[in-house]
Amino acid sequence: ITWLIERERGDVQLRKYSGTLDHPSYSDKQGATINLFQHYVYLFSEKTLVLADIQASESHDKHSHTCILFDLMSHTINGESGAGDHGEQGIKSFVDQHK
């Protein structure tokens, strides 16, 4: 399903906010909001879940400036949330890199 949706995104510019084990910090408003969202998910899950590989593109709606997040993956304590879940190593990479 993901590949079908990505094709429908058309020729839009993508912005990658994080990789599988790469969690950079951003100072611009949009990037800082994504960092805050990752931090919130980590704390709300009681430090058992981290979102990774976050990408975004602008909406096709010409009447609003909307950013659509897609292709998110997760790291969980048990490492069983799906493809690319690096378990505790994935969570540790976020904790070590997150500011």
Side-chain angles (χ1 to χ4, degrees):
I1 294 173
T2 301
W3 297 293
L4 294 173
I5 293 170
E6 285 188 33
R7 270 188 247 135
E8 292 300 316
R9 300 291 310 138
D11 188 25
V12 295
Q13 187 171 9
L14 305 178
R15 182 169 179 190
K16 189 166 181 117
Y17 287 97
S18 65
T20 303
L21 297 171
D22 181 37
H23 305 278
S25 293
Y26 295 92
S27 58
D28 65 292
K29 189 174 185 177
Q30 193 170 15
T33 301
I34 300 299
N35 288 152
L36 178 65
F37 176 56
Q38 286 179 285
H39 187 86
Y40 173 80
V41 168
Y42 174 66
L43 293 180
F44 187 79
S45 73
E46 298 180 353
K47 303 180 180 181
T48 63
L49 172 69
V50 166
L51 296 179
D53 199 23
I54 301 174
Q55 298 179 51
S57 67
E58 297 300 319
S59 166
H60 291 299
D61 184 354
K62 297 187 184 341
H63 302 290
S64 67
H65 183 72
T66 305
C67 179
I68 299 171
L69 301 180
F70 67 97
D71 203 24
L72 280 76
M73 60 180 295
S74 58
H75 301 300
T76 59
I77 293 293
N78 64 13
E80 298 176 357
S81 70
D85 186 338
H86 288 262
E88 291 184 32
Q89 176 193 3
I91 292 173
K92 183 178 181 330
S93 72
F94 174 77
V95 171
D96 291 347
Q97 297 171 33
H98 181 70
K99 295 182 174 107

